Every structure is written in C-alpha cells, then in structure tokens.
Amino acid sequence: MTTSWFRSLRPDAAIFALAACTWLAPRASADVHIVDIYGGGDFTQIQAAIDASVDGDTIFVKGGGYATFTVDDKSLWIVAEPDTPGFPVIIWDTVRVKNLSAGKSVFLYDITAIGIPASPPQAGLILTDNVGHVRAEACEFYGASGAPNRAGASGADIATCFSVSFQMCSFTGGPGYQESQCDGCYTPYESGGDGVSTAGSVLAFYDCTLSGGNATTNNWQSIAGSGGHGCDVQSFGFFASGSRFYGGGGGQATDWQAPQAGNGGHGVRVAAGAAQLLDNTYSGGQGGLAPEGFPGVPGASTQGPGIVNFLSGQKRLGSANAQVGSGQSLSVTLIGRPGDRVYLPTAPTSNWRYLAAKLGVWLIPVPVRLDHTPIAILPASGTAVVQVPMPNLSPSESARQVFAQCMFLSAQGQFVLGSPLHIVIRN
C-alpha cells in the first residue's frame, strides 16, 4: 500500500466548527422493513427484504437463523433486533456486499454469519469492489473449516474496498481440514484461515477481535499446515485502535511418518502495504508439536515486509446500542483518559480518511460540527456512561439513520478520534 492513504487531511480550523447539534433531517425516501423467520414481519428472509428495498431503507431482523444474503450496489442498514436475549440473528452462510458505488453506505449490526464448508470453504463476510462505505458493528464472522486441498476460510475476505470500518466486531478463521490417513498425502493443506484477509482495500478496526484459525493434526506423510493470521494484508492496509490480533496454532505431527509440524500464524501480517496500530494487543500462534519430528515455529506478533507502524498514544473508544426510540436518550459508554472532553458529531453520510495527527480515521465527512458543550468530561477512571437525548421524529418518519463518531479532546488540548457510532432512531 502506498502511504498516500495515510496522510493528514487539512488544518484543524477547516475540520472543526462549533455549532448546535442538529441531528439531521430525514431522507424523504427512507422506509422500514421487518424480517421475521417465523412470519411475524414483512418478509421471512433477509434477501427478500433487500430485493424490495430502495436506497436509504432500514431492515430490522428479528432473532432466528437465516439464509445467505447479498447487497449489490444498494444503500441499506440491516439491523438485528432479537426479541429475546440469547436469541441472536444468525446467517448460516456468507454475508456479501459488492459493487457499492460512491456515496452509498451499507451498515450491518449485531449479525452473526457462519461460512459453510463448501468447495472452496466460505468466509462469513465477503466484501468486493466497494467504492462506497461498508460499516459493521457488534457483528461476528466465522470462516468455514477447510476441505481436502483447501485451507480453512477467513472470517472475512475483503478485496478492492475503499471505505470499510468495523466497531466491536469479531472475526475467526476456520480450522484446517482434518485429513485421514493418506487423504491428500504429501500435500500441506490443513492450514487455518485468517481472521481477516484483505487486498487492495482500506479498513479501520475499533475494539475488534481478529483470530486466525488453528491448523489440524497431521498423522501421515505430509507437512502439517500453519495457523491462520489474525489479519493478513496483501496490499493497501488498515488502522486499528483498542483491538486484539491472534494468530492460530500450527498443526501437530503425531505420527513418525509425519516429519514436520506446522508454524503458528502471526497476529498481524503485512505482505505489502501498511498497518497503523494504536494501543492494540497482538499474539502469534503456537507452533505445532512433533514428538518424533520437527516442531513448528511460533508465529510473530506482527510480521511481513510491509509497513507496521506502532502509534504513540492510547485508545479512545465508545459504544452504544444502534437502536433508540424517538425522543428517548441513547446510553453511550466511553473509554478514554481522565479529563478528556468528549464530543459526538453526527452526519447523514459516512467517510473514510486516516489522520495521523488525530490518531484515527475520520468516518464522517468534514468539516464536522461540534456542540459547544461536550457530552461528557471523563472522570479519574477514564470511563463514563452518559445519556444523550435524541430528537423527536415527526409522525410520518418511521426511522432516521445517523452516522456519528466519538471525538476526545485531551486535557493537553489534543483531539483524538474515537469509535464510530451508528444510530437508528425509531418512531
């Protein structure tokens, strides 16, 4: 990745403007659809709701298991609303977003997607050829386990996407294929999948967990597979704050005819491009054991010929439920430094632009409007839960989509960009 994606925007005066918070006007065409697998909504499958939607619509999904769905060049919010705690929205296949044109946005909230062990095994999330903005919050994505001559799938495969961000999401690579005796002899295809595999894309991770899949035990004459990487960057790159990157464990060689155990995966691997890293944790996977042969090499915390830049500073995070009622208060949890003044600018659209001086990625368009009064001043603990009042929607407005981003002004006078928030206000 060239470093042009990681350059400053403009002087501060052009970025910030103090003003009253307006909470935005509604989009005239916005509509709401309810999906319920048990028949209590407008549709029983998410894909049917997508096909019936137009740009700007919101799709609420009740708890249950659903089939795969694809968003193809359509601006939508897809938000889980399980009626019962512990009854999540699960996609028993891949979620795909593709061909999103400039200015369009897709937002996914509280969805679990589990890739299926097809040939090839499928990732939980596949993003391809998106010029527009893709956002996900509180989602879980799992890659499928490997197949003969196939490694485990990545939790997410992302290619040629120029504005992607994840907040409080987890990604888990699929485990390697467990071969039986002489099933694929001499072929090292039992490797685990990556948590996230990305090429030609720019991403932001806030408070996320990325775990490579473990390779499986090898009991025949091939070399055992390696663990997957937490994040594997083939080109371009990503920013991460307050996130966790774990490499998967290498496969074991348990038989005297299996001479070589597998290597552990890396927490972060940058083959080409750049990773800008702020206050994360990293751990390489363990190398596989080989009682009668050669053990695998442990994975590194970070590795690769690309650029890995550890930023000086501390994470600033925020979180909130994506849904709130008209005229109610949104409960926002904040994590920062004592004395931080926290602001919550909002916008009707999204953005992606790295700003090194602000230790983060702008995920709403600039210039931003800041209310004169911060929503919080953090106490000595550095954490706070605050109630932010929401506007009253008109009777004709069923829902309003709002992009927001937590912004922290330190006691030393430095602005630090925090987590994005995605808010749908409902009547």
Side-chain angles (χ1 to χ4, degrees), residues 56-134:
D57 284 359
T58 302
I59 298 171
F60 293 107
V61 186
K62 295 186 178 294
Y66 294 90
T68 181
F69 65 84
T70 299
V71 180
D72 188 347
D73 194 26
K74 193 174 283 189
S75 194
L76 298 173
W77 282 34
I78 303 175
V79 177
E81 54 166 9
D83 297 315
T84 306
F87 189 48
V89 172
I90 299 179
I91 313 304
W92 295 107
D93 205 334
T94 301
V95 170
R96 292 176 173 84
V97 181
K98 63 181 183 178
N99 303 324
L100 202 61
S101 54
K104 294 187 179 183
S105 299
V106 168
F107 171 57
L108 308 172
Y109 178 73
D110 200 17
I111 289 171
T112 296
I114 302 172
I116 60 173
S119 184
Q122 295 296 297
L125 175 69
I126 298 178
L127 307 179
T128 52
D129 300 325
N130 293 302
V131 178
H133 314 291
V134 181

Side-chain angles (χ1 to χ4, degrees), residues 71-406:
V71 180
D72 188 347
D73 194 26
K74 193 174 283 189
S75 194
L76 298 173
W77 282 34
I78 303 175
V79 177
E81 54 166 9
D83 297 315
T84 306
F87 189 48
V89 172
I90 299 179
I91 313 304
W92 295 107
D93 205 334
T94 301
V95 170
R96 292 176 173 84
V97 181
K98 63 181 183 178
N99 303 324
L100 202 61
S101 54
K104 294 187 179 183
S105 299
V106 168
F107 171 57
L108 308 172
Y109 178 73
D110 200 17
I111 289 171
T112 296
I114 302 172
I116 60 173
S119 184
Q122 295 296 297
L125 175 69
I126 298 178
L127 307 179
T128 52
D129 300 325
N130 293 302
V131 178
H133 314 291
V134 181
R135 305 285 177 259
E137 183 176 341
C139 293
E140 299 180 18
F141 302 107
Y142 296 89
S145 59
N149 295 344
R150 299 282 188 177
S154 299
D157 279 331
I158 302 171
T160 321
C161 297
F162 303 114
S163 178
V164 180
S165 79
F166 299 104
Q167 154 75 343
M168 295 179 63
C169 292
S170 68
F171 307 84
T172 305
Y177 172 67
Q178 179 65 62
E179 76 172 28
S180 59
Q181 190 175 47
C182 209
D183 177 8
C185 295
Y186 303 101
T187 55
Y189 288 112
E190 302 85 11
S191 295
D194 301 321
V196 172
S197 177
T198 177
S201 302
V202 288
L203 301 82
F205 297 101
Y206 283 91
D207 196 14
C208 292
T209 301
L210 295 80
S211 304
N214 294 323
T216 51
T217 299
N218 172 40
N219 59 9
W220 195 241
Q221 296 179 2
S222 63
I223 298 172
S226 297
H229 310 304
C231 187
D232 187 16
V233 179
Q234 296 299 318
S235 55
F236 292 19
F238 71 93
F239 167 85
S241 175
S243 295
R244 298 150 295 278
F245 298 85
Y246 304 115
Q252 299 187 47
T254 60
D255 189 89
W256 67 271
Q257 295 182 95
Q260 178 66 60
N263 298 330
H266 308 304
V268 173
R269 177 180 181 270
V270 183
Q276 305 288 347
L277 306 174
L278 175 67
D279 199 8
N280 306 291
T281 59
Y282 320 89
S283 177
Q286 295 294 317
L289 301 178
E292 300 185 56
F294 300 97
V297 177
S301 297
T302 61
Q303 190 272 347
I307 298 170
V308 178
N309 186 23
F310 295 96
L311 303 172
S312 177
Q314 293 183 297
K315 63 190 178 186
R316 303 298 206 279
L317 302 174
S319 61
N321 193 307
Q323 298 185 62
V324 64
S326 172
Q328 296 181 358
S329 292
L330 180 71
S331 181
V332 181
T333 301
L334 301 166
I335 300 175
R337 298 290 298 158
D340 281 351
R341 302 171 72 86
V342 187
Y343 299 87
L344 190 65
T346 63
T349 58
S350 192
N351 186 45
W352 201 106
R353 190 77 177 272
Y354 176 70
L355 186 58
K358 301 297 180 283
L359 298 177
V361 176
W362 283 109
L363 292 166
I364 57 177
V366 294
V368 298
R369 295 178 178 270
L370 299 186
D371 195 354
H372 290 271
T373 304
I375 63 170
I377 300 177
L378 298 188
S381 64
T383 63
V385 178
V386 298
Q387 304 300 316
V388 181
M390 298 289 106
N392 288 295
L393 305 187
S394 67
S396 62
E397 190 178 357
S398 55
R400 184 183 302 181
Q401 302 169 356
V402 178
F403 293 95
Q405 185 163 13
C406 299

